[in-house]
Structures are given as structure tokens and as C-alpha cells.
Amino acid sequence: MVDARQFAYLQALGVDVYVPRSAPPLPAELVVAAAPTPPPVVVARSVEVAPHPDNAANLDWDELRAAVAACHLCDLHARRTQTVFGVGNRQARWMFIGEAPGAEEDRQGEPFVGRAGQLLTSMIRALGLRREDVFIANVLKCRPPDNRDPKPSETASCRRYLERQVALVNPTLVIAVGRIAAQNLLATETPIAKLRGKVHSFGAQAWPVVVTYHPAYLLRSPGEKRKSWQDLLHARQLFGRLEQESASGGRA
Ligand code: SF4
């Protein structure tokens, strides 16, 4: 058995001293206080932060989709099942823009489904294209309740997303599908009958726009399908001309 002084000495020399279990407790001055237990390390959970909608003009496709999915900029977010971002070929030469999701679109998360969607697909086929060749989006990404018309404040809030989508697709031609889409895209209250058959423009790069009837309207008024066919012929002719101009360096 060593006494306290010897113990300290032997420790200083690095000599191990074995103290039997039954040994009396060491003197207080030799008890080395246990190192304080470090506080637990709190590892912050990584939180996915959606890009801020004010920066929509700089977003890439994935960021834009995330910003739309998280958007609370207008009251429509409160009742949506999901946002309806848009669908199709991101390098499409044709872009179709409708008004807003309906009940089925809200359920499925895709624009232009159901009977009106089938008719739009037929219109796209009439242009010699497949639905997957074009990009389809709406002015609004969330469903207005009871399919009411969008409010100006809602379309103003949502416009940043549409403008970015059009910029990312950079289509040769935009087809505005229906009165609401046309009037919102073109910032006008001119009736659709007066907007058809002309070439308009939209957005920072003045993408060419033509206007036609909404397929839901055509289902209610089948007599107007002939006019919609005229619109498609007009669009196809214009598209050919624009592509030619682009090939010869006329339009980027
Ligand atoms: S409609 Fe557009 S602006 Fe309104 S909450 Fe949906 S994504 Fe946001």
C-alpha cells in the first residue's frame, strides 16, 4: 500500500499503481476531476429551402418546379391538392398555354387532362405533332375554386413562373388556348374573336403568340371547331415561316 505522497510521486514517474477494489478512497487532492461531459452535438437537419419566387427569372427547371410547389403567393395555395407545373418537352418548339387547372388537373397534377385534354391532344396531332413533342402549361399553377375565372392579383403573382417557363423552353411559337389565357398573356381585354388570326407577342423576347379557342369551349360549342382548325392552319404556316427565318439567322 502506498501513501498519498508516494502515489503522487509514482504517478509523476509514469508508474502504474494498482489500487485494490477494497482500498480506501483516494485523498481528495489526488482525485482528478472527470472531464465535464461535452454538451451533445446538435446536428441540424438539412432543410430543403425552396428558391424564392422573386428570383424566378434566374431559376433552372428543377428550382422553378420547387418554387412553384412551395408557392404561397396567392390564396389559391390554400385549397390546391397540388400545383400543376406543366408537362412536355423542355426543348419544344411549340408551347401551349391554357388558363388554370380544373378539378381533374388538380387531382392528377398535369394540365389538360380529361375530355378537354383529349381534344387538345387531337389539336396537337392535327399539327403533325405528338403531345410529348410540345410543352403544355397554364397561366395559373393552382386551381381556382369552382373553376371560377382567375383574379388579376392571382395571375399577376403567378406570371413570373410562366415567364420563366417560356424563357426556359424558348419555343418558336406559343399557342394561347382560350380567352383567359390569351387575355392574360397579351395583357388585354380584347375579345378572343378579335385576337384570333393575328400574330401577337409575349415576354421579354417577344415570343410569337397565336390565339385559339379552349377545347372545353369547343366541346360546348362544336360548331366552332371549324374556326379552331383555321387557327391551327394559321399557326402551322406561321411556325414554318418562323423556323425558316430562324434557320437563316432571322430569329434566335
Ligand atoms: S396560383 Fe401561382 S402564385 Fe398562386 S399560389 Fe399557386 S403557384 Fe403561387
Side-chain angles (χ1 to χ4, degrees), residues 203-234:
Q205 287 193 42
W207 286 278
V209 177
V210 298
V211 173
T212 191
Y213 292 114
H214 196 286
Y217 170 75
L218 296 175
L219 288 170
R220 293 194 302 272
S221 317
E224 301 286 54
K225 283 185 183 170
R226 181 191 297 268
K227 290 185 189 164
S228 120
W229 175 237
Q230 287 168 353
D231 295 337
L232 296 181
L233 290 177
H234 166 59

Side-chain angles (χ1 to χ4, degrees), residues 72-205:
H72 286 191
L73 282 178
C74 80
D75 289 344
L76 295 179
H77 80 271
R79 293 177 61 177
R80 70 187 176 209
T81 304
Q82 58 192 310
T83 52
V84 179
F85 180 70
V87 71
N89 182 346
R90 292 178 173 183
Q91 280 95 43
R93 309 310 293 154
W94 294 79
M95 190 160 177
F96 289 75
I97 301 176
E99 170 185 339
E104 201 50 42
E105 286 82 8
D106 175 68
R107 257 194 298 277
Q108 295 190 30
E110 184 172 331
F112 285 98
V113 294
R115 284 185 69 215
Q118 284 167 10
L119 185 50
L120 181 73
T121 304
S122 301
M123 291 162 73
I124 292 168
R125 283 213 200 99
L127 289 164
L129 302 161
R130 297 167 306 163
R131 187 175 160 109
E132 55 268 33
D133 293 332
V134 308
F135 196 90
I136 305 172
N138 280 317
V139 169
L140 286 187
K141 312 302 184 204
C142 302
R143 182 193 177 205
D146 307 318
N147 294 341
R148 66 156 168 74
D149 286 355
K151 294 179 185 170
S153 60
E154 293 161 354
T155 53
S157 296
C158 218
R159 190 177 176 94
R160 69 200 70 200
Y161 302 129
L162 182 65
E163 284 183 353
R164 186 59 186 151
Q165 281 180 312
V166 177
L168 285 167
V169 174
N170 191 24
T172 300
L173 184 58
V174 174
I175 311 284
V177 182
R179 174 181 66 86
I180 301 279
Q183 291 181 338
N184 274 287
L185 280 181
L186 307 177
T188 180
E189 292 185 355
T190 305
I192 188 167
K194 293 196 172 161
L195 296 173
R196 292 178 47 247
K198 297 177 181 151
V199 185
H200 310 272
S201 66
F202 170 78
Q205 287 193 42

Side-chain angles (χ1 to χ4, degrees), residues 22-40:
S22 57
L26 289 174
E29 66 269 24
L30 294 179
V31 175
V32 179
T37 310

